[in-house]
Amino acid sequence: MVRHIDLATLPSPDVAGRLDRLRARFDGAGCDALVVTKLESVRYLTGFTGSAAVVLVLPGSALLCTDGRYRDQVVAELDASGAAVETEIAARPDQLELVARACGATARIGLEAASASWSLQRRLAEHLGEDRLVATDGVVEALRAVKDAGEVARIEAACDIADVAFAQVKSRLADGVTEADFAAELEAEMRARGSAETSFATIVASGPNAAMPHARPGGRVVGSGELVVVDFGATVDGYRSDMTRTLCVGELSGELADLLDAVLAAQRAGIRAVRAGATGGDVDAACRGSLTEAGYGAAFVHATGHGVGLEIHEAPALAKGSTDILEPGAVVTVEPGAYLAGRGGARIEDTLVVGAAGSRPLTKSTKDYAI
Ligand code: ZN
Ligand code: ZN
């Protein structure tokens, strides 16, 4: 029996106000209209959750084109979100013709450089002329980086599900379970507690596998005295959670205990650096500096973190040299790790919401390695 998350008990996301906030950014982005095809951004701007759509945002109106599969769903979802969007139902080639026609005399039509396909760009160029198409970079993504209360509540609900599910099943790691079986049990537990889907492919990596940051769970049995990295998340109303814990069955040896201590200290340093106005690079430098001081600088082979929302990886970037500013209401991860080939690895990750003077953790599971 899957528990249903009653979304009516959570604050509503303010979908209806987003199109105007996007239009306010057109000048800065160098466009007069924007064609949006990234599905998470379509959902963010309109509330439509279907798997295919193109949205044209004009200065005074917006048009969403989708196909016949979503004829009824699009009406219901736009009605619920209150977004001021006209809809057209058409096959894909005809959708682009409708979009081009709706552009009228608009001068600069923005495309999302990071997600518009080559064929979309070519087809629109046929209709509109090459000169009117301009590349835009992360316009909707910058809006999405700052979450409203409804979005934070959904991410927090997903984090809560992940916390409770993990507490429920983690003792199974001591039962001679394989990585893949533990991943399946954790995922089933999250599903039973109301997660619509896993927020990404669950990672369970034990022993030498833990030295690979994105190892896929396999048939290896989790043994004692070794580190096991578990990285996973739940999804509520499209919003995702992201958490990593590193555990050990039985006694932890000197080398691996030292490694885990260093990662825990780096994560504390990173979390202390998260506050409104800091850059993603500042947070990365705090984690990297801490691990370097502990002698594990070269073992930290990935970025410190990322924004989380409708996508598991979104703006802002918490990476070396990132100039992305952390704004109040941004939801980000802090996830330093250190990996020693053939011996093991550790990563500790929380999802946090940025506040004026610091941050509030949304994932709350204990970081004690003992099971
Ligand atoms: Zn993660
Ligand atoms: Zn992450």
Side-chain angles (χ1 to χ4, degrees):
M1 174 72 182
V2 174
R3 189 166 74 95
H4 175 69
I5 300 287
D6 185 2
L7 297 173
T9 63
L10 304 177
S12 302
D14 170 30
V15 179
R18 292 171 181 165
L19 284 169
D20 276 341
R21 291 206 294 282
L22 176 64
R23 291 179 179 114
R25 291 174 177 243
F26 278 180
D27 259 354
C31 62
D32 306 304
L34 186 66
V35 177
V36 181
T37 52
K38 188 176 203 174
L39 290 172
E40 292 86 355
S41 291
V42 167
R43 179 176 190 159
Y44 178 79
L45 293 170
T46 69
F48 176 61
T49 64
S51 66
V54 53
V55 172
L56 171 67
V57 185
L58 290 159
S61 63
L63 172 68
L64 185 157
C65 299
T66 185
D67 61 71
R69 291 172 298 169
Y70 296 111
R71 187 193 61 196
D72 300 337
Q73 182 181 327
V74 71
V75 172
E77 290 183 336
L78 291 186
D79 204 41
S81 76
V85 183
E86 288 163 37
T87 57
E88 291 274 8
I89 303 296
R92 181 73 174 182
D94 301 333
Q95 291 175 12
L96 297 186
E97 208 175 317
L98 288 165
V99 164
R101 200 178 306 154
C103 285
T106 309
R108 299 170 302 172
I109 317 294
L111 295 186
E112 303 167 288
S115 49
S117 68
W118 174 260
S119 69
L120 174 88
Q121 194 265 347
R122 296 319 304 155
R123 295 291 311 282
L124 284 177
E126 280 169 26
H127 290 295
L128 294 166
E130 197 88 47
D131 296 349
R132 294 169 69 193
L133 299 181
V134 295
T136 65
D137 183 26
V139 192
V140 187
E141 285 81 353
L143 271 186
R144 285 172 43 194
V146 177
K147 273 68 180 175
D148 64 32
E151 296 181 280
V152 173
R154 282 158 176 73
I155 297 169
E156 188 158 21
C159 290
D160 288 348
I161 288 170
D163 279 332
V164 174
F166 190 56
Q168 188 67 32
V169 302
K170 76 175 184 183
S171 65
R172 292 277 294 126
L173 286 168
D175 296 346
V177 73
T178 66
E179 296 169 346
D181 282 345
F182 183 74
E185 288 183 31
L186 179 54
E187 289 174 0
E189 192 67 32
M190 290 194 289
R191 185 99 178 85
R193 291 175 185 279
S195 173
E197 58 183 352
T198 57
S199 60
F200 56 93
T202 303
I203 295 167
V204 179
S206 64
N209 292 346
M212 294 180 281
H214 269 199
R216 287 273 175 271
R220 188 179 188 280
V221 172
V222 177
S224 64
E226 60 187 33
L227 293 173
V228 52
V229 174
V230 185
D231 189 350
F232 62 103
T235 305
V236 170
D237 197 24
Y239 285 87
R240 295 165 197 282
S241 77
D242 194 2
M243 179 170 75
T244 307
R245 291 295 182 261
T246 299
L247 303 108
C248 176
V249 178
E251 288 293 307
L252 194 55
S253 77
E255 179 191 48
L256 296 178
D258 187 59
L259 181 76
L260 182 55
D261 275 349
V263 169
L264 281 162
Q267 208 235 2
R268 282 194 296 273
I271 290 174
R272 277 198 301 273
V274 174
R275 68 176 64 85
T279 65
D282 293 339
V283 181
D284 186 82
C287 287
R288 213 164 288 281
S290 175
L291 276 170
T292 301
E293 210 164 287
Y296 294 107
F300 181 19
V301 294
H302 52 74
T304 285
H306 51 86
V308 182
L310 291 169
E311 287 178 278
I312 188 63
H313 294 139
E314 56 180 55
L318 283 71
K320 199 170 181 176
S322 169
T323 55
D324 291 359
I325 305 277
L326 305 187
E327 296 186 54
V331 174
V332 301
T333 70
V334 175
E335 50 179 306
Y339 310 90
L340 304 175
R343 279 135 60 203
R347 179 166 67 257
I348 302 288
E349 173 181 31
D350 285 304
T351 299
L352 316 152
V353 58
V354 178
S359 65
R360 181 170 71 85
L362 302 180
T363 45
K364 304 175 184 88
S365 292
T366 175
K367 294 170 196 176
D368 187 343
Y369 69 79
I371 290 163

mmCIF file of all heavy atoms in Angstrom, residues 242 306 313 333 335 349, ligand 2:
data_model
loop_
_atom_site.group_PDB
_atom_site.id
_atom_site.type_symbol
_atom_site.label_atom_id
_atom_site.label_comp_id
_atom_site.label_asym_id
_atom_site.label_seq_id
_atom_site.Cartn_x
_atom_site.Cartn_y
_atom_site.Cartn_z
ATOM 1 N N ASP A 242 18.126 14.550 -2.150
ATOM 2 C CA ASP A 242 19.439 13.982 -2.461
ATOM 3 C C ASP A 242 20.231 13.881 -1.154
ATOM 4 O O ASP A 242 20.428 14.896 -0.475
ATOM 5 C CB ASP A 242 20.169 14.892 -3.466
ATOM 6 C CG ASP A 242 21.387 14.227 -4.096
ATOM 7 O OD1 ASP A 242 21.656 13.052 -3.785
ATOM 8 O OD2 ASP A 242 22.059 14.899 -4.901
ATOM 9 N N HIS A 306 25.389 20.879 -5.786
ATOM 10 C CA HIS A 306 24.550 21.353 -6.887
ATOM 11 C C HIS A 306 23.198 21.758 -6.345
ATOM 12 O O HIS A 306 22.806 21.333 -5.254
ATOM 13 C CB HIS A 306 24.391 20.219 -7.914
ATOM 14 C CG HIS A 306 23.944 18.909 -7.297
ATOM 15 N ND1 HIS A 306 22.620 18.612 -7.089
ATOM 16 C CD2 HIS A 306 24.640 17.864 -6.798
ATOM 17 C CE1 HIS A 306 22.536 17.419 -6.513
ATOM 18 N NE2 HIS A 306 23.746 16.940 -6.313
ATOM 19 N N HIS A 313 20.126 17.602 -10.665
ATOM 20 C CA HIS A 313 21.258 18.526 -10.772
ATOM 21 C C HIS A 313 20.786 19.780 -11.484
ATOM 22 O O HIS A 313 20.427 19.718 -12.663
ATOM 23 C CB HIS A 313 22.420 17.907 -11.563
ATOM 24 C CG HIS A 313 23.042 16.740 -10.873
ATOM 25 N ND1 HIS A 313 23.426 15.594 -11.531
ATOM 26 C CD2 HIS A 313 23.343 16.524 -9.578
ATOM 27 C CE1 HIS A 313 23.936 14.738 -10.667
ATOM 28 N NE2 HIS A 313 23.896 15.270 -9.467
ATOM 29 N N THR A 333 23.026 20.993 -2.450
ATOM 30 C CA THR A 333 23.667 19.907 -1.704
ATOM 31 C C THR A 333 25.098 20.290 -1.363
ATOM 32 O O THR A 333 25.722 21.090 -2.065
ATOM 33 C CB THR A 333 23.721 18.587 -2.504
ATOM 34 O OG1 THR A 333 24.654 18.737 -3.582
ATOM 35 C CG2 THR A 333 22.356 18.214 -3.045
ATOM 36 N N GLU A 335 28.347 17.888 -0.667
ATOM 37 C CA GLU A 335 28.666 16.460 -0.713
ATOM 38 C C GLU A 335 30.133 16.166 -1.026
ATOM 39 O O GLU A 335 30.449 15.552 -2.042
ATOM 40 C CB GLU A 335 27.781 15.741 -1.726
ATOM 41 C CG GLU A 335 27.720 16.388 -3.120
ATOM 42 C CD GLU A 335 26.831 15.592 -4.078
ATOM 43 O OE1 GLU A 335 27.085 14.388 -4.228
ATOM 44 O OE2 GLU A 335 25.903 16.174 -4.647
ATOM 45 N N GLU A 349 26.511 13.654 2.183
ATOM 46 C CA GLU A 349 25.763 14.669 1.432
ATOM 47 C C GLU A 349 24.462 15.011 2.128
ATOM 48 O O GLU A 349 23.717 14.127 2.536
ATOM 49 C CB GLU A 349 25.438 14.131 0.028
ATOM 50 C CG GLU A 349 24.513 15.045 -0.767
ATOM 51 C CD GLU A 349 24.185 14.474 -2.150
ATOM 52 O OE1 GLU A 349 24.134 13.239 -2.294
ATOM 53 O OE2 GLU A 349 23.987 15.283 -3.074
HETATM 54 ZN ZN ZN B 2 24.079 15.214 -5.154
#
